[in-house]
Amino acid sequence: MTEKSSARVVVVTSGKGGVGKTTSTAALGAALAQGGEKVVVIDFDVGLRNLDLVLGAERRVVFDLINVIHGVAKLPQALIRDKRLENLYLLPASQTRDKDALTEEGVAKVIGELRSKFDWIICDSPAGIERGATLAMRYADAAIIVTNPEVSSVRDSDRIIGLLDSKTEKAERGECVDKQLLITRYHPWRAAHGEMLSIDDVLEILSIPLIGIIPESEEVLRASNVGSPITLNNPASTPAKAYFDAMRRLKGEAVPMLIPTGNRGIFDKLFGRKAA
Amino acid sequence: MNPLNLFRRGSAPIARERLQILLAHERSTRSQGDLLGVLREEILALISRHVCFDPDKVQIEMDRGKFVSTLAVDIEIPNATPYFQQRIM
C-alpha cells in the first residue's frame, strides 16, 4: 500500500459466535469517536450483517462493502455517518450476495482508501474461520480478541490467535499483529465462587495482554435494543465505563485494570452471599 | 481430577484443566501440520528437479519423540526408462 497510512486498523474477532464482537465494535468505535477520533467501523459479516442494527443505522443502508468492492458504488456513497456522533462512520456488510463476493484485493483497496481518511478502522469480524473472518483480520495492525470466560470460547480464541500469527499480512511480513484480550459477559459472582473461569485462568491459558473486562449487564442488551452503542446510550453504566477504559488502553494509555465485583443481587442478600 | 472439587471449589478448575490439556495438544498439531506441509512442498520440489516420480507415491511422516524426532520421507521412483531419467532444467 503506497498511500500514507495514518489510520490504525483493528480487527475485533473471536472465532466463536455470540460472544459480543459486534456490541464491542460499536461500543469501542463510538467511545473513540466520543473522544474526538475519526472512526470507521466495517461490518465483514457478509450475509448476516448486524452492526448497522446495533448502531441504529439499519434503515439508512443504501450501498455496502461488496458494492464498493465490485465498483457498483464509490466508497463515500457507502459510508454512513452516525446521526449522533459526527466522527463515526459505518461501512455496512451486504445482506444478499454470497461470501465469495469478498475478495482479498477488494478489501485491500477499500482499507487502503480508508487509511488516509480516518484515525481508526475497526473491522467487525464474522464468527468462524472462513473467508469473512480471515479477510477481516488480513490487514490488521492490532486485534481485539473477544472471549467469554467459558471453555468453547477460550478454545476458539486460541485458534484465532494462531491465525492472527500466521494468516495476516503483518505475520507474513514477519511482523506481529498486536493482540489484546477483551473478556465480555463476565459474572463476578460466578467467578468468585469457582463456577466460571477466572480472569487469571483465561489470561494464563491464552497468554496475551488484557484490554478490558466487560461485566454481564442488562444495560448492554438495552443499548442494542434501541440501536445505540452502550457508551452513548448510558455512558455512566458499568459496562460503558469498562469500554471507555478499554478504548483508552487501545490508544496506548496506561489505565489501571479493575476486576468487576458486581453489585449484590436480591438473592445474594437473602442468602448472605458476598460478591468478591 | 477429584470429583470432590466440584463441591469444594466449583467447576471452573475442571474447565481450566480440560482446556490446558486440549490446547497443548491442539497447538502442537497445528504447528506440526504447517511444518510438514512446508517440508513436503520443498522436498518434492527439490527431488523433482532431478528425477521423475508420481507425487501420489510419496509419504512424509514425522514422529515426535521426547528427546529425538524423526522425519521419514518415502518416495517411490520407477526405475525403468523412460520414467527414470535425468531432467535438464
Side-chain angles (χ1 to χ4, degrees), chain B residues 48-66:
Chain B
S48 67
R49 261 191 263 152
H50 303 285
V51 291
C52 284
F53 61 89
D54 181 353
D56 291 335
K57 304 253 169 87
V58 176
Q59 280 193 340
I60 298 182
E61 279 170 27
M62 183 174 268
D63 206 5
R64 297 225 170 198
K66 198 172 177 188

Side-chain angles (χ1 to χ4, degrees), chain A residues 150-151 154-155 158-159 162 193-198 200-201 204-206, chain B residues 6 8-13 15-16 18-20 22-23 26-27 30 34:
Chain A
E150 174 270 324
V151 284
V154 175
R155 179 200 206 173
D158 191 71
R159 187 87 195 273
H193 287 255
E195 293 297 350
M196 178 181 249
L197 287 168
S198 70
D200 286 342
D201 287 339
E204 192 192 321
I205 292 167
L206 294 177
Chain B
L6 257 179
R8 208 170 56 233
R9 286 154 57 210
S11 53
R16 176 196 156 105
R18 290 176 60 221
L19 267 175
Q20 280 171 330
L22 175 71
L23 293 184
E26 285 187 346
R27 285 171 188 157
R30 208 187 292 152
D34 287 341

Side-chain angles (χ1 to χ4, degrees), chain A residues 51-234:
Chain A
L51 189 53
D52 55 335
L53 196 54
V54 171
L55 285 171
E58 71 276 10
R59 293 169 68 180
R60 299 172 60 209
V61 176
V62 181
F63 296 113
D64 54 56
L65 174 61
I66 304 295
N67 292 146
V68 176
I69 286 177
H70 287 202
V72 175
K74 295 243 183 325
L75 191 50
Q77 293 178 291
L79 286 173
I80 301 170
R81 188 182 209 163
D82 191 272
K83 284 195 165 160
R84 300 146 298 202
L85 294 167
E86 59 171 17
N87 287 340
L88 180 63
Y89 290 78
L90 162 70
L91 183 52
S94 164
Q95 189 68 293
T96 51
R97 308 264 192 109
D98 67 318
K99 287 186 161 58
D100 293 335
L102 215 51
T103 62
E104 192 172 323
E105 301 73 33
V107 173
K109 192 165 168 283
V110 169
I111 290 192
E113 248 179 88
L114 291 171
R115 264 189 200 269
S116 55
K117 298 181 180 72
F118 288 89
D119 299 316
W120 296 87
I121 300 170
I122 305 186
C123 305
D124 183 20
S125 172
I129 51 171
E130 301 303 318
R131 193 186 191 84
T134 51
L135 283 178
M137 68 169 66
R138 183 80 188 136
Y139 303 99
D141 301 308
I144 293 175
I145 295 117
V146 183
T147 305
N148 295 164
E150 174 270 324
V151 284
S152 58
S153 176
V154 175
R155 179 200 206 173
D156 291 357
S157 294
D158 191 71
R159 187 87 195 273
I160 284 291
I161 292 169
L163 290 180
L164 285 164
D165 288 337
S166 60
K167 304 286 184 206
T168 51
E169 205 194 37
K170 249 188 146 179
E172 285 172 8
R173 282 202 307 260
E175 295 167 41
C176 200
V177 173
D178 183 20
K179 301 175 291 290
Q180 286 178 290
L181 187 70
L182 182 69
I183 296 182
T184 55
R185 302 209 156 149
Y186 179 73
H187 287 262
W189 189 88
R190 286 187 192 165
H193 287 255
E195 293 297 350
M196 178 181 249
L197 287 168
S198 70
I199 302 293
D200 286 342
D201 287 339
V202 180
L203 287 179
E204 192 192 321
I205 292 167
L206 294 177
S207 53
I208 57 169
L210 186 62
I211 194 172
I213 306 163
I214 315 298
E216 173 82 57
S217 164
E218 60 197 21
E219 286 300 327
V220 175
L221 180 63
R222 193 168 294 142
S224 62
N225 281 347
V226 300
S228 171
I230 178 84
T231 51
L232 203 57
N233 198 52
N234 189 350

